[in-house]
Amino acid sequence: MKLTVYLAGEIHTNWREELSKKAGEKGLPLTFVSPQTNHDRSDDIGEDILGKQPGNLYKDAAASDINNFRTQVFMQKADIVVALFGEQYRQWNTAMDVSAAITLNKPTIIIRPKSLIHPLKELSNKANVTVETIDQALDVLSYIYE
């Protein structure tokens, strides 16, 4: 059984590539999808499609519409959502994605460090599983195939 996993979380580190590589090494039949990980492309997509906007507010709104569209399509198609909260970046989009996944009743795994236990306690309580490392998340996904 091949499953599609939506990888929510910050786009500034290579955690998605690490998770995908390790899943491949374990032979897990998973397909990964995610938000746009090219930050410039994500920021510029509204103007790339709709043309120059009359200011940053409109540029951001146009990009947000298209990025949210992409996220909605991938999230609805996903069988599972894995969301990584790291320590370095503000992650409002990650929290929004986890909330959407929970609302859509998607099986959800949150990866977060110990330092974020308190700030993420409500989300962790609503998610199916909360872990601290990518390897632990992969162990949860591997368990599906036992």
Side-chain angles (χ1 to χ4, degrees), residues 32-118:
F32 297 103
V33 294
S34 68
Q36 176 57 258
T37 58
N38 179 320
H39 200 244
D40 290 337
R41 179 72 169 146
S42 175
D43 285 350
D44 295 339
I45 190 63
E47 287 190 334
D48 289 349
I49 293 173
L50 302 173
K52 183 81 174 143
Q53 298 298 300
N56 286 338
L57 174 68
Y58 298 99
K59 177 182 177 182
D60 285 348
S64 293
D65 288 345
I66 296 165
N67 285 316
N68 285 333
F69 175 81
R70 175 190 166 110
T71 297
Q72 183 177 353
V73 169
F74 282 154
M75 183 85 65
Q76 288 180 353
K77 295 280 185 185
D79 298 299
I80 298 168
V81 175
V82 174
L84 180 130
F85 288 89
E87 302 210 42
Q88 189 172 2
Y89 301 98
R90 294 180 184 150
Q91 294 162 78
W92 299 295
N93 288 345
T94 308
M96 183 178 68
D97 284 352
V98 170
S99 296
I102 291 166
T103 299
L104 291 169
N105 204 30
K106 297 289 180 177
T108 303
I109 301 170
I110 292 175
I111 306 169
R112 57 102 185 99
K114 286 182 181 179
S115 63
L116 295 179
I117 289 173
H118 182 74

